[in-house]
Amino acid sequence: MPTAVALTAAFGLALSGCGTASTRTGRDADPRANAGAGGGHGGAVRTAVRRLAAQGDAPGAGVLIRREGGGTRFIASGVADVRTGRRIHRSDHFRAGSLTKTVIAALTLRLAAQGRFGLDDTVEKHLPGLVRGHGNDGRNITIRQLLNHTSGLFDYTEDPALARQLSAAADRTRTPASLVRTALTHRPYFAPGTKWHYSNTNYVLLGMVVQRVTGRSYAAEARREVLGPLRLHDISFPGTRTALPAPHGRAYTRDSGARDSGARSDGARRDVTDLNPSFAGAAGELVSTLDDLSRLLSGLLRGTVVPRAELWQMRNTSASDGQYGMGLFPVRLPCGVTLWGHNGEINGSYALAVATPDGHHTLAYRLNSTARSGLTAETSLLDAEFCPRR
């Protein structure tokens, strides 16, 4: 299962990314494997959902499963609000963190297919003079390398000074340029194109490139080019808006205790629903529902938004040794099935959305707590749903 790469501040603020399991070649799930009440939609899935909430130290968890010809099923465990006891609803909005990258990658590739820019254009061409200093040079970094995380640029979320600032002023608005400047105070991880390292800085820069080329914000362009064609009306880019759209539950984290090594904090649970997500920007500000995350993955993998050649690029993991494509990563299950999707973590929320390569079978789930990925219950859930019954 994917191993999260997280933005972590002293008070538990987090924005997570991706990883991979084994690198063996996978196969598609058998659509007949879990048909019927005794299959993946039965007790094994319900048990895994309950375990997800427990392992993620979350008050509640919800999962939406959609299969072409097999209907849709929503399963929830626990509560959306610990004060009122309100249950998690299928229509609830929540913060989806780095699933934003799937939308931004699709947008970038769609614009490239339209001839607005080339994937081998340098960052310098569109953002002249921005990426310079401490061994960083935008003249040697391409759009392609931003998309597949081979730029070598430092992840601004790992900067200790920024973490302290966020802890002291969580509601302060952060501009994309300020986040990039933070990253550029550090030397790059490696020379562009020589290795792979997940970095939120890459997608903040992509958002800036989109705005420079189109004259409109990445949020406006994403609504027009990606969300509109897929009729995803419950996905939004809040910008600096702190409140979630209705309906929604609450989001929680722990006050004290570091999240190192995946250890659970012993601090009191704290409500962190209201949040200025400008620190995440094009790398992780997305708000969604489970239904729209499911439709996003399905429509994308069916080729509804991104042309076939560009969709191939999204699933081309050759530059990352099988770990990541462009806004998508492979999830290889123990039974040999390979799914495609992304996860995301931001203060008080963790989500994962995956689908079979043809987009006909999707699963999206979320926790209402800041929680590391790599949960064993996550693997159990996907195994129960997508693997042939053994």
Side-chain angles (χ1 to χ4, degrees), residues 66 79-80 84 109-110 173 177 215 217 221 272-273 287 298 304 383:
R66 189 188 304 274
V79 298
T84 66
L109 288 163
R110 184 174 170 92
T173 295
S217 70
E221 282 297 293
V272 291
T273 308
V287 168
S298 179
T304 304
D383 182 76

Side-chain angles (χ1 to χ4, degrees), residues 3-38:
T3 300
V5 179
L7 178 161
T8 307
F11 62 104
L13 190 64
L15 170 68
S16 107
C18 74
T20 187
S22 72
T23 57
R24 65 179 178 274
T25 302
R27 58 185 173 80
D28 292 353
D30 183 348
R32 302 165 299 176
N34 292 321

